[in-house]
Every structure is written in structure tokens, then in C-alpha cells.
Amino acid sequence: MAQYQRTANVSTPTGANWRDYYELTKPRVVAMLLLTALVGMCLATPGWPPWSAVLVGLFGIGAQASAAAVFNHVIDWKIDTKMQRTRHRPVAEGRVSQGAALVFAVALMVSGFITCWWLNPLTAWLTFASLVGYALVYTQWLKPATPQNIVIGGLAGAMPPLLGWTAVTGEVHAHALLLVMIIFTWTPPHFWALAIHRRHDYAKADVPMLPVTHGVRFTQTMVLLYTLLLVVVGIFPWLTGMSGWLYLVGATALNLAFVGYAWRLKTQSQKGIAWQTFKFSIWHIFATFVVLLADHALRY
């Protein structure tokens, strides 16, 4: 009976407003993605990139990233109703119907694609591929199928620096791929820390996250190993000459601090350490890309 009521609620939304649609786009996540895209734009060229490319590119990338988030809400609504963290989301709670959310997602997707195409077709297709990678490959297929979901699916979320780069230059460059590699390596320890904190939620929703399938101790080890790998990957922009000493010092300090949190997560049984590690990881990636931008500004 309870399941029937939830289904009925999703089919007949009550009192949806603009805040509900805004929440569907996961604005904080999209804002972080746009920061990394902006850094990709700036590093793609000496000095400041053309304002037209920046504004148009950020709008197009942001619209398609928002569309991917809305698709995620629609596809995951049943899982969301079972989890404490997500049960009040607009589709899960029935404030926005699945149909209305899909129309909203398609509108964002089409407007974002057209906007990116105005810059160049490469950016449009890469951004669309990222949307498909997150909304379909990760959410629809990988998330319910394998505990490696976030490792494989994390590539879609790591793409914005490359998208920003191509928005300005119209071509893929190895330096842009290094920026993608940083986010790709950062994503598993970031998300697994949250998964440890919310492991009972994921178990209740039958989502095979790593702490559920392989246990907390194994996941803690993997978080530590990935943060150590991040220290190595973080040196590459300096080794290749893309960034200077400011970046090297700042990124190394941030990565070692992340290792410190991962070590505490692995060796201490203190309650809440997984949540602290997750929160730090957000500030870590934000600060890393700010340092990249500051280093570039000082060099040019």
C-alpha cells in the first residue's frame, strides 16, 4: 500500500514551483562543474579567453549538465524514495511529475546542445556524450549493476575541463585530458567516503555501492589508495609545463591533506570521519581548480 501511494504521488504532483525545478538541476554540483569548465577555458589560451566563448560555452555546458541532473532524478526516483538523503527530492516526493521533469530535461538538453554547436560541433557532441554517460550509462546501467559504478561512470563528471577547453579552441589537447584525469582520480574517494557514511541507505535501496558489496574496511583501503594516486596525478600539470610552482605547491598540499583524511578514515573508528572526509573532498577539488586558475593568471 505504501509503495502504491508513493507511485501515485509521483504521477500526480502537488504544488510544483520554480524552486522544485531549480532543485532538479542540482545547482551546487553544476556550479562546481562550471568552475572546472572555466578553468579549462582559461588554461586553453594565454591570458583571458574571448568573452563570447566563455559566456556561451558556460551556458551550453551548464544547460546540458543540468539536463543530465534532471534525467538522474527521473531515472532514480524509486531509489530516491528509499534513501533518507534523497527522499525529499522533487520527483521522489511527487512535487514534480516524471513527465514534467522529462520535458524540462529535454528542453535544457536541446538548448545546451544548440548553444554549444554555435561555438563548435566538437564541444556540442562531447557535452552531449557526457550527458548520456551520466544520465544513461551511469544512472541507468552502471549504478544498479556494479560496485565499480562510480569509477567507470566518473568519467562523465570529469569531462567539463575538456569541454571548456574545446569551447575555446575547438580541439582536444593533452593538457585538457590531464585536467580530466585529476577529477577522474578524485571522484572515487570523494564518493566512496559518502557511500561509507550512507551505506545503510544504499543497502536499503539495493544499490551495490562498494561499502555494501565489499565492506567498509575494503572501501576505506580503496579511498586511501586513490588519494595516493591523486598525489601522483596532481604532479602531471607541473611536469608537463602546463602549470607552475604555485600550482605544484598548492595542489600537493591539498592532495596530501586529502591523504591525511583518508588515513584517518582507514585507521580510526571515530564516528563521522567518513562525512568529514566527504566534505573536505568538495573543498579539495574546488581549491585545486582555483589554484590552477591563480597559477595561470600569475604566469600570463
Side-chain angles (χ1 to χ4, degrees), residues 234-235 238-239 243-253 291 295:
I235 299 174
W238 175 75
L239 289 176
S243 298
W245 285 100
L246 175 61
Y247 165 77
L248 178 64
V249 173
T252 301
V291 169
D295 178 273

Side-chain angles (χ1 to χ4, degrees), residues 10-294:
V10 173
S11 301
T12 56
T14 56
N17 57 46
W18 69 268
R19 292 182 183 85
D20 295 318
Y21 286 93
Y22 179 68
E23 183 181 344
L24 285 175
T25 64
K26 299 185 180 181
R28 293 182 181 179
V29 175
V30 171
M32 187 67 73
L33 295 178
L34 290 180
L35 169 65
T36 63
L38 176 62
V39 173
M41 291 175 175
C42 293
L43 268 62
T45 179
W48 185 257
W51 276 105
S52 58
V54 172
L55 296 177
V56 174
L58 290 180
F59 177 84
I61 295 167
Q64 294 219 56
S66 298
V70 180
F71 281 123
N72 175 263
H73 279 270
V74 175
I75 295 169
D76 266 359
W77 78 265
K78 286 185 179 179
I79 293 175
D80 288 345
T81 60
K82 300 175 183 178
M83 299 180 61
Q84 182 69 27
R85 183 174 68 93
T86 58
R87 63 188 178 91
H88 293 300
R89 285 177 172 176
V91 175
E93 202 168 48
R95 301 194 307 274
V96 178
S97 72
Q98 295 176 65
L102 281 173
V103 170
F104 183 46
V106 171
L108 288 169
M109 179 182 68
V110 172
S111 62
F113 185 86
I114 293 173
T115 303
C116 289
W117 187 277
W118 186 82
L119 286 174
N120 57 74
L122 177 62
T123 302
W125 284 117
L126 284 176
T127 308
F128 180 72
S130 299
L131 183 156
V132 172
Y134 178 74
L136 293 181
V137 177
Y138 167 68
T139 305
Q140 182 70 43
W141 178 44
L142 292 173
K143 186 174 180 179
T146 171
Q148 290 298 308
N149 46 27
I150 200 63
V151 177
I152 305 169
L155 182 60
M159 289 291 283
L162 174 61
L163 304 178
W165 193 291
T166 62
V168 172
T169 66
E171 61 181 15
V172 175
H173 193 281
H175 285 171
L177 297 179
L178 287 180
L179 300 178
V180 171
M181 190 181 299
I182 291 172
I183 302 177
F184 181 73
T185 309
W186 166 87
T187 300
H190 158 72
F191 204 90
W192 282 334
L194 174 63
I196 291 173
H197 179 70
R198 293 289 188 179
R199 62 190 179 278
H200 300 301
D201 251 3
Y202 285 111
K204 181 180 178 182
D206 295 321
V207 179
M209 298 305 297
L210 199 62
V212 177
T213 60
H214 289 67
V216 171
R217 296 297 296 172
F218 179 81
T219 307
Q220 290 168 335
T221 300
M222 295 304 296
V223 169
L224 179 59
L225 291 177
Y226 267 89
T227 55
L228 290 171
L229 180 60
L230 186 59
V231 174
V232 177
V233 172
I235 299 174
F236 288 171
W238 175 75
L239 289 176
T240 60
M242 182 174 70
S243 298
W245 285 100
L246 175 61
Y247 165 77
L248 178 64
V249 173
T252 301
L254 288 165
N255 290 338
L256 290 176
F258 200 175
V259 171
Y261 272 90
W263 179 255
R264 289 177 58 206
L265 180 63
K266 172 67 177 174
T267 60
Q268 299 179 15
S269 58
Q270 176 184 345
K271 185 178 181 180
I273 185 65
W275 182 245
Q276 294 172 25
T277 303
F278 170 73
K279 289 194 297 183
F280 174 79
S281 69
I282 298 173
W283 286 107
H284 167 278
I285 199 65
F286 172 81
T288 298
F289 274 80
V290 168
V291 169
L292 270 166
L293 193 58

